[in-house]
Amino acid sequence: MGDAAARARDLTDHIRLASDGAVDVDGAVLLSERAALTGFHRRGAVTLGGTGRLLPATDGWVAVNCARPDDVALLGAVVGRDIGNDPWPAVADWLGEHSRAEFDERAAMLGVAAGSVARDDEVTAAACGAPTPTGDPRSVADMLVVDFSALWAGPLCAHLLGSAGARVVKVETPQRPDGARSGNADFYRLLHGGHESVVLDPAVAAERGALHRLVASADIVIEASRPRALRGFGLDSAEFVSAGATWISITAAGRGSERIGFGDDVAASAGLVAYDHTGAMFVGDAIADPLAGLTAAALAMSATDGGVLWDVSMRATVAATVGATPTPAARSDAGRWIVDTASGPAVLAPPTRRPTARHAPRSGRDTSAVLDSLGIRL
């Protein structure tokens, strides 16, 4: 059985020590708090948000997400036919005649958020490179965090650093605001309350220069995209780290991979799935996201000898929590969800939420104020 909940609690224990008790949260609760806010619930082989599926190939299972506007067309290219507006029948038919490896090759080439579900004998390899905090806990109070991330994993990391006393500046470009702004408002406020929002366009020379100076002023940078994205802005992680600072890089499968992924399909591809008589089922709500965010925050709150680049692979992070015993499937009984364990049936507690007291800034609200405070001129 996977021990993601136990690992999450270990991480929040580290964060609690680093923050001298200022951040006192239960890591296991954080894994499911989005579901508490959205009302999402278990849907078996369908992701809680409804955009992804677990589907059988000829030699196992694959996890496929179709969350972006272009994904239907991309999945049509994967299977080599026009699939209309509903991709799932055609994708299921194609997978019924092809292997996981054939699917992975096409999905990677086309940038589809998908991947093969790791079998038991593949989980150890999938966990290779999973980072864990090893240094003494360190305070991040009054440090400047520049957060380029979006959605869940990176913003959770930034939220925890901010709760520990860091100053968090969220950076977006005019072309790509955080997609989570259009999602659940309470969840967005929870992760971004108390932060500052800066919008800069790296295509404009003066704003690109201001962006570089903002990053140079930071103690910690968070990115949650493939490395080429910030390199395209002229930002060099190696140069930043050589100056003694901390760079947090959260990706689907590591900085050396071009894979695209979201929390649900990444967690499943790491081997975190359950099985019942119908086949494979998703476990939890996009668990790779909060687990990676917790890991990233704990790493940022770990003492190091000089600057460091933390390469947080969401897939490896989840795979490191997957044990040899298959994860049991939950069953519904009289409105309760129950898991059958060796010691008998266990009733699963419903997800809980933390209060969202502070407002999140509108996009770009603090651009001038932040730059002025750091002596940066456009």
Side-chain angles (χ1 to χ4, degrees):
M1 182 185 298
D3 62 354
R7 180 64 58 85
R9 286 191 168 122
D10 289 343
L11 293 167
T12 47
D13 286 346
H14 180 97
I15 292 167
R16 187 177 300 110
L17 289 172
S19 66
D20 197 22
V23 185
D24 188 11
V25 293
D26 183 341
V29 170
L30 296 189
L31 297 182
S32 62
E33 69 179 355
R34 186 176 74 167
L37 290 163
T38 61
F40 288 166
H41 55 81
R42 295 174 181 85
R43 300 179 65 178
V46 179
T47 59
L48 272 66
T51 63
R53 300 286 190 279
L54 284 166
L55 298 169
T58 58
D59 59 345
W61 291 82
V62 301
V64 189
N65 225 318
C66 190
R68 301 166 300 178
D70 295 337
D71 282 340
V72 171
L74 291 174
L75 285 171
V78 168
V79 303
R81 53 178 277 200
D82 182 0
I83 58 178
N85 293 323
D86 180 5
W88 302 117
V91 174
D93 288 346
W94 188 90
L95 283 167
E97 299 176 353
H98 295 82
S99 68
R100 297 180 307 148
E102 290 176 279
F103 176 78
D104 283 348
E105 181 180 6
R106 292 191 177 203
M109 179 176 62
L110 293 165
V112 174
S116 296
V117 175
R119 297 185 298 225
D120 291 347
D121 60 340
E122 297 168 337
V123 169
T124 298
C128 183
T132 56
T134 54
D136 293 332
R138 69 157 181 174
S139 173
V140 295
D142 300 321
M143 289 188 181
L144 175 60
V145 177
V146 173
D147 176 23
F148 287 98
S149 69
L151 301 179
W152 190 354
L156 175 59
C157 172
H159 161 71
L160 293 168
L161 298 180
S163 300
R167 178 187 183 185
V168 178
V169 175
K170 182 178 183 66
V171 180
E172 298 164 281
T173 67
Q175 298 80 15
R176 296 198 67 178
D178 185 348
R181 287 185 178 275
S182 60
N184 183 272
D186 286 337
F187 187 58
Y188 190 84
R189 283 196 297 271
L190 175 64
L191 297 186
H192 296 87
H195 298 177
E196 297 167 277
S197 174
V198 166
V199 171
L200 291 168
D201 187 347
V204 177
E207 296 188 30
R208 186 184 184 95
L211 182 63
H212 284 211
R213 292 191 292 277
L214 175 60
V215 168
S217 301
D219 300 290
I220 300 170
V221 167
I222 304 169
E223 67 168 332
S225 56
R226 288 175 290 181
R228 69 186 187 189
L230 291 191
R231 283 201 299 265
F233 299 166
L235 297 172
D236 186 345
S237 59
E239 180 180 338
F240 182 79
V241 168
S242 69
T246 299
W247 189 286
I248 300 289
S249 175
I250 304 173
T251 58
R255 288 175 67 84
S257 169
E258 288 296 310
R259 176 179 170 179
I260 297 292
F262 298 103
D264 292 297
D265 56 270
V266 171
S269 74
L272 185 59
V273 293
Y275 294 91
D276 68 0
H277 66 282
T278 65
M281 304 167 63
F282 286 104
V283 175
D285 177 21
I287 283 179
D289 273 303
L291 196 60
L294 283 167
T295 299
L299 293 168
M301 295 188 208
S302 299
T304 59
D305 184 15
V308 61
L309 188 156
W310 292 112
D311 183 357
V312 182
S313 160
M314 293 169 64
R315 183 172 187 254
T317 297
V318 174
T321 72
V322 177
T325 304
T327 302
R331 55 185 172 85
S332 181
D333 182 7
R336 303 176 303 169
W337 285 96
I338 296 174
V339 167
D340 294 312
T341 69
S343 56
V347 178
L348 299 179
T352 58
R353 56 177 289 176
R354 292 177 291 149
T356 55
R358 296 185 291 181
H359 292 289
R362 69 180 185 278
S363 186
R365 183 196 69 182
D366 308 297
T367 302
S368 296
V370 167
L371 297 183
D372 286 346
S373 73
L374 298 171
I376 299 171
R377 299 287 181 266
L378 283 175

